[in-house]
Amino acid sequence: MARKALKFASWTSVALAASGGFLYSNKYLDPNDFGAIRVGRAVATVHLRSARRLCDLCCANRGTFIKVGQHLGALDYLLPEEYTSTLKVLHSQAPQSSMQEVRQVIREDLGKEIQDLFLSFDDTPLGAASLAQVHKAVLRDGRTVAVKVQHPKVQAQSSKDILLMEVLALAVKQLFPEFEFMWLVDEAKKNLPLELDFLNEGRNAEKVAQMLKQFDFLKVPRIFWELSTKRVLLMEFVEGGQVNDREYMERNRIDVNEISCHLGKMYSEMIFVNGFVHCDPHPGNVLVRKHPDTGKAEVILLDHGLYQVLTEEFRLDYCHLWQSLIWMDMEGVKKYSQRLGAGDLYPLFACMLTARSWDSVNRGISQAPVTSSEDLEIRNNAANYLPQISQLLNHVPRQMLLIFKTNDLLRSIEATLGTRASASSFLNMSRCCVRALAKHNKKNACSFFRRTQISLSEALNLWQISLHELLLRVKGLRLPRWVSALLCWLFPVSL
């Protein structure tokens, strides 16, 4: 009974945090208003205490609770810093299973003891997450591997967690009819079984590695199928630092702008071109390193359990919507937001999608940098428009929900790296949208002339994007440096 009460308290705390109950932040207080500063400090203390309790509750209940806590920890632009900084530990330092439990899972699934399968097996996990933990080991043939082992009780516990979610969602609906959270339960029911099947994760890893093979900066660890089951996954061992670890990148001379650009290219390709999207890019699942041979920066993509497959209709509408957002086509924003289920709430939908104010959307999200006052406006609006947000999430296609989550996680990484809302990332998105729409139109063209016409239009649009990018770079350069570079190009010095 005590455990059930703890679980209910956990979900109540999570629901309150997620619903904007703690959106007041002292981050933007007037430094000259001493009364406001005292109130702000008191509020910050309450936030920190509540955040620690919420983190403890997530850790005590594990599984689904940690997954929700991980997502809340990524909402930097929405929740107070005390919550996000406290909950970020759940990305890679969640509660661990004991070695006895790890041995039991390996014995049950692989039919052998650890010492019979490996020359060495580190007792201390490299990281522990909501559903599993990862250990470093050496196979009998000398290859170093990462062994992902599912927490032994998580499968049985997850069904109970979902049931409790459903009860709480129904209770919230009865008490507050304007709030609708059943979509959250439906998504958990659909996605958790897939995430708990490590063979499915291995297949996803191989598919995305093949799909994005043109990106030499992307590393997806190879799967060792002969020693993999639904609860144990053996992968190639690859070392790196978490993508939000700026100190690691500085020590290893990795350019944060380059990493941000790589992430943007990967995800634009997944979403707009292929419609097969890795939907859990929290910092524990995205590592960076210098390639040991070439010295180039590399992105290591881990944990391939949660993917969203987009229908062609959804993907094309989403392409059109982002093209409209990037190039300030407000009629297009309205049209394609409504096609994606936003209805009359299309301004709110656009703001949620971009994490920008409606004024910035109108002025052009690629033109105006994010300001602290805009961040404050977004936080306040999130609290004020919570019923509308709930209504919107209940009406958009289910595919959109994981896209929202993915956007939140990627935006959190960009905020940490200081690269949020950069013009280059929007232009890379636009390139992918142009290519995806052209590919679709050529596939449906009925004549060679029409296909040629589409190809020429595609080439022209891509050229215009490249020209726009060049102009932005020139604008960002100081005039003397630009003149110097131009002279060196016009009159190269022979050595």
Side-chain angles (χ1 to χ4, degrees):
M1 190 69 186
R3 183 170 179 81
K4 287 181 179 178
L6 182 63
K7 281 181 175 293
F8 188 80
S10 296
W11 277 119
T12 304
S13 300
V14 169
L16 284 170
S19 65
F22 306 116
L23 288 177
Y24 181 87
S25 174
N26 68 331
K27 187 176 178 181
Y28 305 108
L29 291 175
D30 183 351
N32 297 315
D33 188 341
F34 296 108
I37 288 174
R38 281 196 297 272
V39 172
R41 285 174 180 166
V43 169
T45 302
V46 173
H47 280 332
L48 186 59
R49 183 172 66 244
S50 300
R52 286 171 176 166
R53 287 177 179 174
L54 178 57
C55 187
D56 290 342
L57 286 167
C58 288
C59 290
N61 291 289
R62 303 192 177 192
T64 313
F65 298 89
I66 289 177
K67 293 198 76 65
V68 176
Q70 286 173 340
H71 191 192
L72 293 176
L75 299 178
D76 301 81
Y77 68 95
L78 188 60
L79 295 178
E81 185 182 355
E82 292 81 10
Y83 278 92
T84 56
S85 60
T86 301
L87 294 171
K88 276 186 168 100
V89 302
L90 299 176
H91 288 146
S92 59
Q93 299 173 40
Q96 303 173 7
S97 293
S98 67
M99 267 310 295
Q100 182 181 353
E101 291 173 317
V102 170
R103 291 176 187 278
Q104 178 186 344
V105 172
I106 290 176
R107 187 188 309 117
E108 290 174 355
D109 279 40
L110 297 177
K112 292 184 179 180
E113 298 293 338
I114 283 180
Q115 60 268 26
D116 298 326
L117 295 167
F118 305 99
L119 283 177
S120 66
F121 190 99
D122 289 359
D123 288 355
T124 304
L126 297 167
S130 54
L131 305 180
Q133 60 193 51
V134 179
H135 293 259
K136 183 179 179 181
V138 179
L139 291 171
R140 288 283 168 183
D141 60 10
R143 289 177 295 178
T144 303
V145 293
V147 186
K148 183 174 181 177
V149 183
Q150 195 172 110
H151 299 311
K153 299 174 184 176
V154 74
Q155 292 222 25
Q157 197 59 54
S158 62
S159 58
K160 297 175 184 175
D161 291 345
I162 291 173
L163 180 61
L164 185 57
M165 283 175 66
E166 192 164 7
V167 170
L168 183 60
L170 290 171
V172 169
K173 188 176 180 179
Q174 290 295 318
L175 293 170
F176 309 102
E178 67 272 23
F179 294 108
E180 175 61 76
F181 288 115
M182 284 307 295
W183 56 267
L184 182 62
V185 179
D186 294 338
E187 283 300 293
K189 282 181 178 178
K190 182 186 76 174
N191 294 320
L192 261 179
L194 295 174
E195 290 189 80
L196 290 169
D197 182 358
F198 289 176
L199 294 178
N200 175 66
E201 178 177 341
R203 290 190 291 269
N204 288 342
E206 290 192 338
K207 180 174 179 177
V208 81
Q210 177 65 23
M211 190 177 83
L212 302 181
K213 63 183 179 182
Q214 71 271 29
F215 294 140
D216 58 0
F217 58 78
L218 174 62
K219 175 69 178 176
V220 177
R222 187 163 64 90
I223 306 298
F224 294 92
W225 289 108
E226 65 275 16
L227 290 174
S228 294
T229 69
K230 284 194 171 187
R231 294 194 300 168
V232 179
L233 187 66
L234 251 70
M235 302 162 283
E236 172 188 5
F237 177 75
V238 186
E239 282 188 287
Q242 287 193 4
V243 70
N244 62 343
D245 188 346
R246 291 192 64 129
E247 290 184 6
Y248 173 88
M249 286 193 248
E250 288 171 7
R251 285 197 311 271
N252 291 274
R253 297 182 180 179
I254 297 173
D255 184 356
V256 294
N257 292 300
E258 184 181 5
I259 293 298
S260 184
C261 183
H262 288 343
L263 279 174
K265 286 180 179 178
M266 284 164 44
Y267 271 88
S268 293
E269 195 78 17
M270 280 191 260
I271 294 170
F272 300 116
V273 179
N274 295 287
F276 185 67
V277 189
H278 180 290
C279 290
D280 204 12
H282 67 69
N285 291 339
V286 185
L287 308 182
V288 294
R289 69 167 184 174
K290 278 283 186 74
H291 192 283
D293 298 326
T294 64
K296 293 182 178 179
E298 228 179 18
V299 175
I300 305 161
L301 194 59
L302 306 174
D303 196 345
H304 299 269
L306 184 60
Y307 272 74
Q308 178 66 67
V309 179
L310 308 179
T311 64
E312 185 171 64
E313 181 184 8
F314 177 94
R315 182 172 59 83
L316 295 174
D317 284 342
Y318 197 62
C319 282
H320 281 297
L321 175 57
W322 269 104
Q323 283 288 75
S324 301
L325 286 165
I326 291 167
W327 300 109
M328 293 174 286
D329 173 11
M330 301 315 295
E331 282 301 314
V333 170
K334 179 179 179 180
K335 175 183 175 181
Y336 290 104
S337 294
Q338 291 181 334
R339 281 179 62 92
L340 289 168
D344 293 336
L345 294 174
Y346 72 90
L348 177 61
F349 182 70
C351 294
M352 289 171 63
L353 198 58
T354 59
R356 304 296 300 272
S357 68
W358 181 238
D359 181 57
S360 292
V361 172
N362 277 280
R363 287 188 291 120
I365 54 174
S366 61
Q367 308 296 319
V370 182
T371 63
S372 58
S373 60
E374 184 181 1
D375 270 340
L376 180 58
E377 181 185 345
I378 290 168
R379 289 170 186 262
N380 289 337
N381 284 343
N384 296 334
Y385 289 98
L386 196 59
Q388 290 89 339
I389 291 172
S390 175
Q391 179 186 342
L392 189 58
L393 292 175
N394 198 47
H395 284 92
V396 295
R398 288 293 174 259
Q399 301 163 78
M400 194 70 239
L401 299 175
L402 280 180
I403 296 297
F404 271 133
K405 177 193 174 186
T406 305
N407 284 348
D408 288 341
L409 292 169
L410 290 173
R411 200 172 287 123
S412 173
I413 292 171
E414 288 180 341
T416 304
L417 298 181
T419 58
R420 185 173 157 207
S422 66
S424 62
S425 65
F426 290 125
L427 293 175
N428 282 327
M429 290 171 69
S430 188
R431 284 191 181 95
C432 284
C433 291
V434 168
R435 286 171 43 225
L437 294 170
K439 182 180 178 181
H440 171 75
N441 291 335
K442 281 187 279 189
K443 185 175 72 174
N444 294 302
C446 54
S447 68
F448 173 77
F449 174 76
R450 179 59 184 149
R451 285 192 292 273
T452 304
Q453 192 178 32
I454 293 167
S455 295
L456 289 173
S457 176
E458 176 189 9
L460 177 62
N461 286 331
L462 292 173
W463 179 81
Q464 287 175 329
I465 292 170
S466 296
L467 180 62
H468 185 72
E469 186 173 36
L470 177 63
L471 291 174
L472 286 175
R473 286 180 179 176
V474 169
K475 187 179 177 181
L477 289 171
R478 292 180 180 176
L479 184 61
R481 287 171 57 193
W482 180 81
V483 171
S484 175
L486 180 63
L487 290 173
C488 288
W489 180 70
L490 292 172
F491 308 105
V493 178
S494 300
L495 296 177

